[in-house]
Amino acid sequence: MMLAKRPHTVGNRRRYRINYSDWLDEGVTVASATVVSSSSTAPIDSVSVAGNFVLFFVNGGVLNEMFTASIAMVDSKSGIKNDTMDFFVVAP
């Protein structure tokens, strides 16, 4: 599912947070997540889980570039949810 389309400024390192609370049953939490960028100039790092949140950083990018972050979340009952976020790189 497409979660959002966001601007990302050239050269920035910015943290993003996805809240999965509305998608999880009561008592179920996010167990793990992977986030992968479709861009070689805007890598993603520091992916972490905090309760029902997936956190990650997007770095760099080239002006006017468009790229997608693919998110795979696994919950504490082994459910898997695949999502995407689209980014477009803008000038500072």
Side-chain angles (χ1 to χ4, degrees), residues 19-31 51-53 73-76 79 81:
N19 183 352
Y20 280 104
S21 296
D22 291 341
W23 300 98
L24 298 169
D25 291 335
E26 189 173 323
V28 178
T29 59
V30 176
N52 292 333
F53 295 92
M73 182 275 292
V74 179
D75 68 32
S76 58
K81 182 158 179 19

Side-chain angles (χ1 to χ4, degrees), residues 9-89:
T9 304
V10 170
N12 276 9
R13 174 177 163 78
R14 183 165 178 204
R15 185 182 79 146
Y16 291 91
R17 180 177 77 163
I18 303 170
N19 183 352
Y20 280 104
S21 296
D22 291 341
W23 300 98
L24 298 169
D25 291 335
E26 189 173 323
V28 178
T29 59
V30 176
S32 65
T34 58
V35 184
V36 178
S37 175
S38 66
S39 169
S40 62
T41 65
I44 291 172
D45 65 23
S46 302
V47 178
S48 63
V49 172
N52 292 333
F53 295 92
V54 172
L55 303 116
F56 61 94
F57 284 86
V58 176
N59 303 282
V62 175
L63 185 62
N64 298 322
E65 177 182 18
M66 297 183 74
F67 64 94
T68 300
S70 299
I71 303 105
M73 182 275 292
V74 179
D75 68 32
S76 58
K77 289 201 172 187
S78 299
I80 299 170
K81 182 158 179 19
N82 292 293
D83 294 306
T84 60
M85 288 178 71
D86 284 346
F87 293 90
F88 52 99
V89 182

